[in-house]
Amino acid sequence: MEAREAAPSAGPDQAYEAADDFVREQMAEMDLPGAAVVVVRDGVRVHSAAFGRADDSGRPMTADTPVLLASTTKSLTAVAVMQQVEAGRLRLDEPVQTFIPWFTLRDSRASRITVRHLLHQASGMAAKDTAFEGSFAEGPEALDEGVRALAGSPLAGAPGESFGYANANFNILGLLVQTVSGQPFGDYMRQEVFEPLGMTNSHPTRTAARVDGAAAGHSRWFGSFWQQTEVPAPTTGMPSSTMYAAANDLGQELIMLLNEGQYRDRRLLQPESVRTMLEPGVQVDGSKMYAMGWFTRPLVESVPPSESAGGAGANLPLLAEHQGEWGNSHTYLAMVPSSGLGVALVINANDTSAPSRLKSIDTNILRILHGQEPIPAVVHEDWLQRYSWAVALVLLLAELLSLWLALRVLLARPRGNAGRKRLLVVGLAALALDAFALWLCFIYAPARFDTGLAVIIRQFPDVGVMLVPVLGLALLWSLPRTVWLLLKVRSGKALPVS
């Protein structure tokens, strides 16, 4: 059955006003610093609005203020890749090693990874094994070095077998563009994507974006207040997550894609390339698929929730969307090709403990634009993510208590066997605490959040500020404490303190 068109709201102007009112309400309710939203339809920007502040100086947020894109960067990189496919320099079903002969992973199956696998997030790489988001590398060589560093990473599955989201997929794609085009990836993006689209407030690096007045990012600390926070934005991740763009510029990207590659008098892509980009390629879950830099699913926001339940969503228009989540920014892009509608939203903040609150703003804007009422946000994150800062705080307090108890018994004069037993009990309890802290930090949390410990510390700043001393005590104090304890147990008397 043919998908039916998304029903527009009764009046576009009223819908845009209602969307703005909703964003204002959410900003007031969550105390968000700044946001900007743009709507395009039928090849024209029909609405643009900005709210709040760009930074703590009170500078107003505008629709031309660059914001760190996070994963909405991928849609721009996909454009660059398809341009090189059209030029004959890349081929979708050729292995990466055809173009970068030295590319390898710690798995012989890496030789089978193709350009299409990378675009579809189906290379077999896992995010936790290829994490780079904690890096501070911002030099021009960081992209090449980051891809070379993947040589020690395993594969979690066979290439092409299933969906597995990893930013490294798009970092490799960026290096492919850089290699076959013969120019640095950032320069290519400026000359071949940003300039033809008139994206004058878009930049491949944080340094360039700051010169243009980029918005400062904010993180939610301890689940209670927003703090302007610096988190890494390494150029290693330029093709996947660390480019910057303003909301108005993103609207121009959407116009080009909805016009099948044409923007004003410039053609960036052929229609067939755009259709290939947006063609669902691999299943994520249920009706959600991944295309090339875009998730796709039925546009359930165009009808009341009761009508989209029970599989009825199969008759709804196709929605192409992507969210961007960084430690201090949130972005969203959405397109409905059948109706020519596109939406871009940027927020210079992110709550890593409960990002679903901000994601609900994305989907509710779509609902409002389709004449539906917004629905309350539902927090999907489990207790560990929501209260990871509290877990880190408890660990820190436990380590400090352990330090105090250990020093107290070590500095006291032991009294016979009872004193020695007390030393052993305190020492073993401290070792058990250290072992638990190290297991939680190095094994459980990286697996649970599908990333590396360095990323958790640097992208979850309220958690990181407590985990650093926890790790310091567990790693650096445990050995001298244990040696001191054993010496004291053997000697049976207090040792002098230097």
Side-chain angles (χ1 to χ4, degrees), residues 438-465:
L438 295 175
W439 169 80
L440 188 68
C441 292
F442 285 102
I443 299 176
Y444 181 78
R448 166 64 185 80
F449 295 110
D450 197 24
T451 191
L453 176 61
V455 177
I456 294 173
I457 289 174
R458 293 167 183 167
Q459 295 287 344
F460 295 63
D462 53 345
V463 176
V465 76

PDB file of all heavy atoms in Angstrom, residues 438-465:
ATOM      1  N   LEU A 438      37.702  -0.416  40.334  1.00  0.00           N
ATOM      2  CA  LEU A 438      38.407  -0.631  39.072  1.00  0.00           C
ATOM      3  C   LEU A 438      37.570  -1.467  38.106  1.00  0.00           C
ATOM      4  O   LEU A 438      37.554  -1.194  36.893  1.00  0.00           O
ATOM      5  CB  LEU A 438      39.755  -1.305  39.335  1.00  0.00           C
ATOM      6  CG  LEU A 438      40.754  -0.460  40.138  1.00  0.00           C
ATOM      7  CD1 LEU A 438      42.002  -1.266  40.445  1.00  0.00           C
ATOM      8  CD2 LEU A 438      41.118   0.808  39.375  1.00  0.00           C
ATOM      9  N   TRP A 439      36.869  -2.476  38.616  1.00  0.00           N
ATOM     10  CA  TRP A 439      35.978  -3.273  37.754  1.00  0.00           C
ATOM     11  C   TRP A 439      34.875  -2.398  37.180  1.00  0.00           C
ATOM     12  O   TRP A 439      34.571  -2.465  35.985  1.00  0.00           O
ATOM     13  CB  TRP A 439      35.376  -4.417  38.572  1.00  0.00           C
ATOM     14  CG  TRP A 439      34.270  -5.126  37.856  1.00  0.00           C
ATOM     15  CD1 TRP A 439      34.380  -6.086  36.893  1.00  0.00           C
ATOM     16  CD2 TRP A 439      32.849  -4.915  38.047  1.00  0.00           C
ATOM     17  NE1 TRP A 439      33.134  -6.479  36.461  1.00  0.00           N
ATOM     18  CE2 TRP A 439      32.172  -5.786  37.156  1.00  0.00           C
ATOM     19  CE3 TRP A 439      32.113  -4.085  38.885  1.00  0.00           C
ATOM     20  CZ2 TRP A 439      30.786  -5.834  37.085  1.00  0.00           C
ATOM     21  CZ3 TRP A 439      30.722  -4.134  38.808  1.00  0.00           C
ATOM     22  CH2 TRP A 439      30.075  -5.003  37.912  1.00  0.00           C
ATOM     23  N   LEU A 440      34.272  -1.566  38.039  1.00  0.00           N
ATOM     24  CA  LEU A 440      33.178  -0.711  37.589  1.00  0.00           C
ATOM     25  C   LEU A 440      33.657   0.271  36.527  1.00  0.00           C
ATOM     26  O   LEU A 440      32.978   0.492  35.514  1.00  0.00           O
ATOM     27  CB  LEU A 440      32.594   0.046  38.784  1.00  0.00           C
ATOM     28  CG  LEU A 440      31.317   0.853  38.534  1.00  0.00           C
ATOM     29  CD1 LEU A 440      30.144  -0.070  38.236  1.00  0.00           C
ATOM     30  CD2 LEU A 440      31.002   1.740  39.728  1.00  0.00           C
ATOM     31  N   CYS A 441      34.842   0.857  36.742  1.00  0.00           N
ATOM     32  CA  CYS A 441      35.336   1.901  35.837  1.00  0.00           C
ATOM     33  C   CYS A 441      35.922   1.340  34.538  1.00  0.00           C
ATOM     34  O   CYS A 441      35.713   1.919  33.471  1.00  0.00           O
ATOM     35  CB  CYS A 441      36.396   2.744  36.550  1.00  0.00           C
ATOM     36  SG  CYS A 441      35.744   3.755  37.901  1.00  0.00           S
ATOM     37  N   PHE A 442      36.651   0.246  34.636  1.00  0.00           N
ATOM     38  CA  PHE A 442      37.367  -0.246  33.466  1.00  0.00           C
ATOM     39  C   PHE A 442      36.613  -1.329  32.691  1.00  0.00           C
ATOM     40  O   PHE A 442      36.900  -1.540  31.509  1.00  0.00           O
ATOM     41  CB  PHE A 442      38.737  -0.801  33.878  1.00  0.00           C
ATOM     42  CG  PHE A 442      39.737   0.269  34.206  1.00  0.00           C
ATOM     43  CD1 PHE A 442      40.032   0.587  35.517  1.00  0.00           C
ATOM     44  CD2 PHE A 442      40.372   0.969  33.195  1.00  0.00           C
ATOM     45  CE1 PHE A 442      40.961   1.574  35.825  1.00  0.00           C
ATOM     46  CE2 PHE A 442      41.299   1.963  33.485  1.00  0.00           C
ATOM     47  CZ  PHE A 442      41.592   2.266  34.811  1.00  0.00           C
ATOM     48  N   ILE A 443      35.681  -2.002  33.336  1.00  0.00           N
ATOM     49  CA  ILE A 443      34.996  -3.117  32.668  1.00  0.00           C
ATOM     50  C   ILE A 443      33.499  -2.857  32.516  1.00  0.00           C
ATOM     51  O   ILE A 443      32.970  -2.788  31.398  1.00  0.00           O
ATOM     52  CB  ILE A 443      35.242  -4.435  33.433  1.00  0.00           C
ATOM     53  CG1 ILE A 443      36.748  -4.753  33.455  1.00  0.00           C
ATOM     54  CG2 ILE A 443      34.458  -5.590  32.788  1.00  0.00           C
ATOM     55  CD1 ILE A 443      37.104  -5.966  34.270  1.00  0.00           C
ATOM     56  N   TYR A 444      32.801  -2.691  33.648  1.00  0.00           N
ATOM     57  CA  TYR A 444      31.346  -2.616  33.572  1.00  0.00           C
ATOM     58  C   TYR A 444      30.850  -1.341  32.879  1.00  0.00           C
ATOM     59  O   TYR A 444      30.050  -1.413  31.944  1.00  0.00           O
ATOM     60  CB  TYR A 444      30.732  -2.710  34.967  1.00  0.00           C
ATOM     61  CG  TYR A 444      29.220  -2.656  34.929  1.00  0.00           C
ATOM     62  CD1 TYR A 444      28.490  -3.791  34.565  1.00  0.00           C
ATOM     63  CD2 TYR A 444      28.528  -1.479  35.199  1.00  0.00           C
ATOM     64  CE1 TYR A 444      27.100  -3.739  34.488  1.00  0.00           C
ATOM     65  CE2 TYR A 444      27.148  -1.426  35.123  1.00  0.00           C
ATOM     66  CZ  TYR A 444      26.442  -2.552  34.774  1.00  0.00           C
ATOM     67  OH  TYR A 444      25.083  -2.502  34.688  1.00  0.00           O
ATOM     68  N   ALA A 445      31.305  -0.163  33.331  1.00  0.00           N
ATOM     69  CA  ALA A 445      30.795   1.089  32.769  1.00  0.00           C
ATOM     70  C   ALA A 445      31.110   1.234  31.286  1.00  0.00           C
ATOM     71  O   ALA A 445      30.230   1.614  30.503  1.00  0.00           O
ATOM     72  CB  ALA A 445      31.331   2.282  33.558  1.00  0.00           C
ATOM     73  N   PRO A 446      32.340   0.935  30.817  1.00  0.00           N
ATOM     74  CA  PRO A 446      32.581   1.022  29.366  1.00  0.00           C
ATOM     75  C   PRO A 446      31.671   0.097  28.557  1.00  0.00           C
ATOM     76  O   PRO A 446      31.205   0.475  27.476  1.00  0.00           O
ATOM     77  CB  PRO A 446      34.055   0.617  29.241  1.00  0.00           C
ATOM     78  CG  PRO A 446      34.661   1.005  30.552  1.00  0.00           C
ATOM     79  CD  PRO A 446      33.594   0.705  31.559  1.00  0.00           C
ATOM     80  N   ALA A 447      31.420  -1.118  29.090  1.00  0.00           N
ATOM     81  CA  ALA A 447      30.526  -2.029  28.380  1.00  0.00           C
ATOM     82  C   ALA A 447      29.090  -1.525  28.430  1.00  0.00           C
ATOM     83  O   ALA A 447      28.361  -1.584  27.433  1.00  0.00           O
ATOM     84  CB  ALA A 447      30.612  -3.426  28.987  1.00  0.00           C
ATOM     85  N   ARG A 448      28.683  -1.005  29.582  1.00  0.00           N
ATOM     86  CA  ARG A 448      27.307  -0.531  29.750  1.00  0.00           C
ATOM     87  C   ARG A 448      27.018   0.684  28.854  1.00  0.00           C
ATOM     88  O   ARG A 448      25.961   0.783  28.231  1.00  0.00           O
ATOM     89  CB  ARG A 448      27.073  -0.177  31.226  1.00  0.00           C
ATOM     90  CG  ARG A 448      25.825   0.644  31.523  1.00  0.00           C
ATOM     91  CD  ARG A 448      24.552  -0.106  31.190  1.00  0.00           C
ATOM     92  NE  ARG A 448      23.389   0.714  31.374  1.00  0.00           N
ATOM     93  CZ  ARG A 448      22.953   1.628  30.503  1.00  0.00           C
ATOM     94  NH1 ARG A 448      23.604   1.810  29.362  1.00  0.00           N
ATOM     95  NH2 ARG A 448      21.874   2.331  30.748  1.00  0.00           N
ATOM     96  N   PHE A 449      27.971   1.624  28.775  1.00  0.00           N
ATOM     97  CA  PHE A 449      27.757   2.841  27.990  1.00  0.00           C
ATOM     98  C   PHE A 449      28.376   2.759  26.600  1.00  0.00           C
ATOM     99  O   PHE A 449      28.350   3.733  25.851  1.00  0.00           O
ATOM    100  CB  PHE A 449      28.301   4.059  28.742  1.00  0.00           C
ATOM    101  CG  PHE A 449      27.565   4.345  30.028  1.00  0.00           C
ATOM    102  CD1 PHE A 449      28.169   4.135  31.250  1.00  0.00           C
ATOM    103  CD2 PHE A 449      26.263   4.791  30.004  1.00  0.00           C
ATOM    104  CE1 PHE A 449      27.496   4.383  32.433  1.00  0.00           C
ATOM    105  CE2 PHE A 449      25.564   5.047  31.178  1.00  0.00           C
ATOM    106  CZ  PHE A 449      26.181   4.841  32.399  1.00  0.00           C
ATOM    107  N   ASP A 450      28.933   1.600  26.267  1.00  0.00           N
ATOM    108  CA  ASP A 450      29.486   1.345  24.944  1.00  0.00           C
ATOM    109  C   ASP A 450      30.527   2.386  24.542  1.00  0.00           C
ATOM    110  O   ASP A 450      30.498   2.940  23.442  1.00  0.00           O
ATOM    111  CB  ASP A 450      28.368   1.297  23.895  1.00  0.00           C
ATOM    112  CG  ASP A 450      28.823   0.630  22.594  1.00  0.00           C
ATOM    113  OD1 ASP A 450      29.776  -0.169  22.651  1.00  0.00           O
ATOM    114  OD2 ASP A 450      28.235   0.937  21.535  1.00  0.00           O
ATOM    115  N   THR A 451      31.446   2.657  25.458  1.00  0.00           N
ATOM    116  CA  THR A 451      32.496   3.636  25.174  1.00  0.00           C
ATOM    117  C   THR A 451      33.665   3.389  26.104  1.00  0.00           C
ATOM    118  O   THR A 451      33.645   2.466  26.925  1.00  0.00           O
ATOM    119  CB  THR A 451      31.957   5.068  25.326  1.00  0.00           C
ATOM    120  OG1 THR A 451      32.905   5.986  24.796  1.00  0.00           O
ATOM    121  CG2 THR A 451      31.677   5.411  26.779  1.00  0.00           C
ATOM    122  N   GLY A 452      34.709   4.208  26.002  1.00  0.00           N
ATOM    123  CA  GLY A 452      35.887   4.035  26.829  1.00  0.00           C
ATOM    124  C   GLY A 452      35.825   4.837  28.106  1.00  0.00           C
ATOM    125  O   GLY A 452      35.056   5.802  28.215  1.00  0.00           O
ATOM    126  N   LEU A 453      36.654   4.467  29.086  1.00  0.00           N
ATOM    127  CA  LEU A 453      36.679   5.173  30.364  1.00  0.00           C
ATOM    128  C   LEU A 453      37.059   6.638  30.182  1.00  0.00           C
ATOM    129  O   LEU A 453      36.465   7.516  30.825  1.00  0.00           O
ATOM    130  CB  LEU A 453      37.658   4.486  31.318  1.00  0.00           C
ATOM    131  CG  LEU A 453      37.855   5.175  32.678  1.00  0.00           C
ATOM    132  CD1 LEU A 453      36.547   5.251  33.447  1.00  0.00           C
ATOM    133  CD2 LEU A 453      38.927   4.453  33.485  1.00  0.00           C
ATOM    134  N   ALA A 454      38.032   6.917  29.311  1.00  0.00           N
ATOM    135  CA  ALA A 454      38.440   8.304  29.094  1.00  0.00           C
ATOM    136  C   ALA A 454      37.282   9.146  28.581  1.00  0.00           C
ATOM    137  O   ALA A 454      37.142  10.324  28.938  1.00  0.00           O
ATOM    138  CB  ALA A 454      39.608   8.362  28.117  1.00  0.00           C
ATOM    139  N   VAL A 455      36.434   8.548  27.754  1.00  0.00           N
ATOM    140  CA  VAL A 455      35.271   9.269  27.226  1.00  0.00           C
ATOM    141  C   VAL A 455      34.283   9.563  28.350  1.00  0.00           C
ATOM    142  O   VAL A 455      33.730  10.667  28.438  1.00  0.00           O
ATOM    143  CB  VAL A 455      34.596   8.454  26.110  1.00  0.00           C
ATOM    144  CG1 VAL A 455      33.348   9.162  25.601  1.00  0.00           C
ATOM    145  CG2 VAL A 455      35.574   8.216  24.972  1.00  0.00           C
ATOM    146  N   ILE A 456      34.045   8.605  29.221  1.00  0.00           N
ATOM    147  CA  ILE A 456      33.123   8.805  30.343  1.00  0.00           C
ATOM    148  C   ILE A 456      33.609   9.956  31.218  1.00  0.00           C
ATOM    149  O   ILE A 456      32.829  10.831  31.616  1.00  0.00           O
ATOM    150  CB  ILE A 456      32.987   7.510  31.161  1.00  0.00           C
ATOM    151  CG1 ILE A 456      32.307   6.426  30.323  1.00  0.00           C
ATOM    152  CG2 ILE A 456      32.202   7.760  32.457  1.00  0.00           C
ATOM    153  CD1 ILE A 456      32.285   5.061  30.978  1.00  0.00           C
ATOM    154  N   ILE A 457      34.902   9.973  31.503  1.00  0.00           N
ATOM    155  CA  ILE A 457      35.457  11.002  32.382  1.00  0.00           C
ATOM    156  C   ILE A 457      35.342  12.378  31.748  1.00  0.00           C
ATOM    157  O   ILE A 457      35.019  13.366  32.425  1.00  0.00           O
ATOM    158  CB  ILE A 457      36.924  10.668  32.714  1.00  0.00           C
ATOM    159  CG1 ILE A 457      36.984   9.452  33.649  1.00  0.00           C
ATOM    160  CG2 ILE A 457      37.635  11.858  33.345  1.00  0.00           C
ATOM    161  CD1 ILE A 457      38.378   8.952  33.923  1.00  0.00           C
ATOM    162  N   ARG A 458      35.572  12.460  30.433  1.00  0.00           N
ATOM    163  CA  ARG A 458      35.636  13.778  29.793  1.00  0.00           C
ATOM    164  C   ARG A 458      34.319  14.250  29.206  1.00  0.00           C
ATOM    165  O   ARG A 458      34.095  15.450  29.075  1.00  0.00           O
ATOM    166  CB  ARG A 458      36.720  13.759  28.714  1.00  0.00           C
ATOM    167  CG  ARG A 458      38.102  13.614  29.321  1.00  0.00           C
ATOM    168  CD  ARG A 458      39.153  13.284  28.294  1.00  0.00           C
ATOM    169  NE  ARG A 458      40.455  13.084  28.921  1.00  0.00           N
ATOM    170  CZ  ARG A 458      41.512  12.548  28.323  1.00  0.00           C
ATOM    171  NH1 ARG A 458      41.400  12.158  27.057  1.00  0.00           N
ATOM    172  NH2 ARG A 458      42.644  12.393  28.955  1.00  0.00           N
ATOM    173  N   GLN A 459      33.432  13.316  28.830  1.00  0.00           N
ATOM    174  CA  GLN A 459      32.148  13.721  28.258  1.00  0.00           C
ATOM    175  C   GLN A 459      31.021  13.740  29.298  1.00  0.00           C
ATOM    176  O   GLN A 459      29.964  14.309  29.042  1.00  0.00           O
ATOM    177  CB  GLN A 459      31.775  12.783  27.106  1.00  0.00           C
ATOM    178  CG  GLN A 459      32.711  12.840  25.911  1.00  0.00           C
ATOM    179  CD  GLN A 459      32.548  14.096  25.089  1.00  0.00           C
ATOM    180  OE1 GLN A 459      31.560  14.816  25.206  1.00  0.00           O
ATOM    181  NE2 GLN A 459      33.524  14.388  24.241  1.00  0.00           N
ATOM    182  N   PHE A 460      31.239  13.086  30.456  1.00  0.00           N
ATOM    183  CA  PHE A 460      30.302  13.156  31.579  1.00  0.00           C
ATOM    184  C   PHE A 460      31.028  13.911  32.697  1.00  0.00           C
ATOM    185  O   PHE A 460      31.494  13.297  33.653  1.00  0.00           O
ATOM    186  CB  PHE A 460      29.919  11.761  32.070  1.00  0.00           C
ATOM    187  CG  PHE A 460      29.160  10.913  31.096  1.00  0.00           C
ATOM    188  CD1 PHE A 460      29.705  10.514  29.888  1.00  0.00           C
ATOM    189  CD2 PHE A 460      27.862  10.497  31.388  1.00  0.00           C
ATOM    190  CE1 PHE A 460      29.009   9.723  28.993  1.00  0.00           C
ATOM    191  CE2 PHE A 460      27.149   9.696  30.504  1.00  0.00           C
ATOM    192  CZ  PHE A 460      27.718   9.322  29.298  1.00  0.00           C
ATOM    193  N   PRO A 461      31.164  15.234  32.587  1.00  0.00           N
ATOM    194  CA  PRO A 461      32.076  15.957  33.481  1.00  0.00           C
ATOM    195  C   PRO A 461      31.738  15.853  34.959  1.00  0.00           C
ATOM    196  O   PRO A 461      32.646  15.818  35.788  1.00  0.00           O
ATOM    197  CB  PRO A 461      31.976  17.409  32.988  1.00  0.00           C
ATOM    198  CG  PRO A 461      30.705  17.474  32.210  1.00  0.00           C
ATOM    199  CD  PRO A 461      30.505  16.127  31.619  1.00  0.00           C
ATOM    200  N   ASP A 462      30.446  15.796  35.313  1.00  0.00           N
ATOM    201  CA  ASP A 462      30.106  15.691  36.738  1.00  0.00           C
ATOM    202  C   ASP A 462      30.511  14.337  37.297  1.00  0.00           C
ATOM    203  O   ASP A 462      30.867  14.209  38.477  1.00  0.00           O
ATOM    204  CB  ASP A 462      28.614  15.941  36.961  1.00  0.00           C
ATOM    205  CG  ASP A 462      27.720  15.068  36.102  1.00  0.00           C
ATOM    206  OD1 ASP A 462      28.221  14.464  35.131  1.00  0.00           O
ATOM    207  OD2 ASP A 462      26.511  14.990  36.394  1.00  0.00           O
ATOM    208  N   VAL A 463      30.481  13.313  36.447  1.00  0.00           N
ATOM    209  CA  VAL A 463      30.949  11.988  36.855  1.00  0.00           C
ATOM    210  C   VAL A 463      32.472  11.972  36.906  1.00  0.00           C
ATOM    211  O   VAL A 463      33.089  11.482  37.855  1.00  0.00           O
ATOM    212  CB  VAL A 463      30.430  10.900  35.892  1.00  0.00           C
ATOM    213  CG1 VAL A 463      30.994   9.535  36.261  1.00  0.00           C
ATOM    214  CG2 VAL A 463      28.907  10.874  35.901  1.00  0.00           C
ATOM    215  N   GLY A 464      33.093  12.538  35.868  1.00  0.00           N
ATOM    216  CA  GLY A 464      34.540  12.510  35.763  1.00  0.00           C
ATOM    217  C   GLY A 464      35.249  13.203  36.897  1.00  0.00           C
ATOM    218  O   GLY A 464      36.311  12.747  37.349  1.00  0.00           O
ATOM    219  N   VAL A 465      34.669  14.306  37.386  1.00  0.00           N
ATOM    220  CA  VAL A 465      35.343  15.054  38.444  1.00  0.00           C
ATOM    221  C   VAL A 465      35.468  14.239  39.726  1.00  0.00           C
ATOM    222  O   VAL A 465      36.352  14.487  40.553  1.00  0.00           O
ATOM    223  CB  VAL A 465      34.596  16.385  38.704  1.00  0.00           C
ATOM    224  CG1 VAL A 465      33.317  16.176  39.498  1.00  0.00           C
ATOM    225  CG2 VAL A 465      35.504  17.386  39.405  1.00  0.00           C
TER     226      VAL A 465
END
